[in-house]
Amino acid sequence: MTGGAGYIGSHAAKALKRAGYRPIVYDSFVAGHRAAVKFGELVEGEITDVEALRRALREHDIGSVMHFAAFLDVGESVAHPVKYYRNNVGGALTVLEAMVAEAVPHFVFSSTCATYGEPVETPIVETHPQRPMNSYGESKLAVERALPHFETAHGIHSTTLRYFNAAGADPDGDLGEDHSPEIHVIPRAIEAATGGRGLQVFGDDYPTPDGTCLRDYVHVTDLADAHVRALEVIVDTRKSGVYNLVERVCGRRVPWTLAPRRKGDPAVLYASPHKAQAELRWTPRFPDLDAIVGTAWRWHQAHPHGYGDR
Ligand SMILES: NC(=O)c1ccc[n+]([C@@H]2O[C@H](COP(=O)([O-])OP(=O)(O)OC[C@H]3O[C@@H](n4cnc5c(N)ncnc54)[C@H](O)[C@@H]3O)[C@@H](O)[C@H]2O)c1
């Protein structure tokens, strides 16, 4: 699990361990947290280091790779595209190169709704045109587009999971969200609601019911479960596939101030989860905003400084 010390990877490690797998976390701690590596052995390393990756694959007798490691700040990607292409495209290609060399046949890829860009049709289905509006989305799409070539040339089967906005925290309180700086709206809203930095809403003149951007969310524990399903399906069927991972939730009031639109933000990202639910037999357990915010709220109350290491 590259990036297994991060927010989503750490929750997926817990789900995999519970399902009887032997997760091995491969992370450089450029983000992520040592205290989040609770459910698998740790290998510290860079995804741009092919020799270190090959050693890790060999020494731990790896059967499948889940590739979470990436940079993910849309705003930063607009300002610093090279950072995003180097880590997200270069890093992913290096992981695939190591897999080819060590004959590891299964790849589960963390992609994103940012590959769609401005929707031409909602709900967004997996065949919707992909026209990213920022280099973060472009970097993920570049990897998506490379994957069929690795299948043809090297027999690497892949499952691409396009996450919508991940939110919430482990319901047992073992893990939570701690990005630095925090860019995601639910932890930012919790911070605002508990007297910390104010929440900014980027633009109120979008063509949406209240003028603000419209987004879909998915509970991080449901995302984690989807990775277990994706692994089971790819190992069983050896067929590649692409899935939206999203749930339906609705808004709630938090104190906020208005800020200008951000570059690279589509107005509406509203997706269909049906393919993932049917083909991965994935049923989200936390499909409403109360559960998402509730688990995040409890984790942030118990960990006001996150993992406390930054
Ligand atoms: N959080 C979301 O809402 C969201 C939505 C869509 C897609 N995604 C994708 O999901 C994945 C995980 O997101 P997250 O929120 O858990 O992010 P995160 O920053 O919490 O985790 C990413 C992890 O990858 C590691 N990493 C990054 N670059 C590395 C490198 N060069 N070498 C080794 N390790 C490296 C970091 O140290 C970190 O632990 C990313 O690929 C992201 O693009 C996230």
Side-chain angles (χ1 to χ4, degrees):
M1 305 177 71
T2 71
Y7 172 47
I8 300 169
S10 60
H11 286 78
K14 179 172 181 176
L16 285 164
K17 180 115 195 217
R18 263 202 180 155
Y21 293 94
R22 181 177 54 88
I24 307 291
V25 169
Y26 184 96
D27 204 297
S28 68
F29 298 102
V30 62
H33 307 274
R34 283 176 202 279
V37 186
K38 294 181 172 174
F39 300 98
E41 210 174 308
L42 170 67
V43 178
E44 196 165 342
E46 260 293 328
I47 55 165
T48 47
D49 182 345
V50 73
E51 288 311 321
L53 285 163
R54 287 190 60 176
R55 222 171 19 252
L57 295 174
R58 227 174 19 244
E59 286 177 2
H60 293 276
D61 194 20
I62 299 296
S64 306
V65 169
M66 289 189 178
H67 182 55
F68 297 92
F71 294 139
L72 55 142
D73 181 336
V74 168
E76 184 187 54
S77 84
V78 174
H80 301 291
V82 73
K83 179 172 176 183
Y84 280 72
Y85 278 90
R86 187 169 286 140
N87 204 37
N88 296 4
V89 183
L93 293 181
T94 311
V95 172
L96 287 160
E97 184 186 354
M99 290 173 64
V100 170
E102 298 301 329
V104 179
H106 307 302
F107 185 73
V108 180
F109 178 53
S110 300
S111 191
T112 166
C113 58
T115 60
Y116 290 118
E118 192 75 63
V120 291
E121 213 172 69
T122 51
I124 297 169
V125 292
E126 285 79 355
T127 50
H128 185 284
Q130 289 178 285
R131 295 190 204 105
M133 295 171 67
N134 46 63
S135 69
Y136 169 61
E138 287 286 2
S139 71
K140 291 286 182 172
L141 182 56
V143 178
E144 285 198 19
R145 293 213 165 128
L147 291 175
H149 302 293
F150 280 83
E151 179 155 28
T152 306
H154 305 294
I156 293 183
H157 309 290
S158 63
T159 303
T160 291
L161 301 176
R162 293 188 191 133
Y163 315 157
F164 283 61
N165 297 282
D170 174 50
D172 307 326
D174 288 333
L175 302 160
E177 181 167 15
D178 181 6
H179 291 111
S180 181
E182 188 55 71
I183 47 170
H184 293 137
V185 68
I186 290 176
R188 291 292 307 271
I190 290 173
E191 196 183 335
T194 50
R197 264 185 319 172
L199 179 72
Q200 288 184 311
V201 172
F202 297 112
D204 67 348
D205 57 351
Y206 287 95
T208 59
D210 71 355
T212 68
C213 288
L214 192 68
R215 293 290 180 272
D216 267 350
Y217 292 87
V218 57
H219 195 287
V220 66
T221 296
D222 286 329
L223 266 189
D225 289 343
H227 284 77
V228 177
R229 302 292 315 134
L231 186 60
E232 285 167 359
V233 168
I234 200 171
V235 170
D236 277 1
T237 65
R238 294 175 180 267
K239 264 176 52 189
S240 296
V242 176
Y243 303 94
N244 287 335
L245 294 185
V246 62
E247 295 157 2
R248 274 297 114 70
V249 297
C250 58
R252 136 187 314 210
R253 283 193 169 278
V254 289
W256 58 277
T257 55
L258 187 63
R261 284 185 177 203
R262 275 188 318 192
K263 284 191 186 138
D265 268 341
V268 174
L269 282 173
Y270 171 89
S272 164
H274 297 311
K275 187 178 176 205
Q277 291 177 354
E279 293 187 14
L280 299 181
R281 296 187 299 280
W282 171 63
T283 314
R285 288 184 290 154
F286 304 96
D288 63 70
L289 192 62
D290 284 348
I292 290 177
V293 174
T295 55
W297 177 263
R298 280 194 293 283
W299 195 78
H300 285 284
Q301 290 300 101
H303 304 83
H305 306 292
Y307 288 102
D309 55 353
R310 282 183 208 281

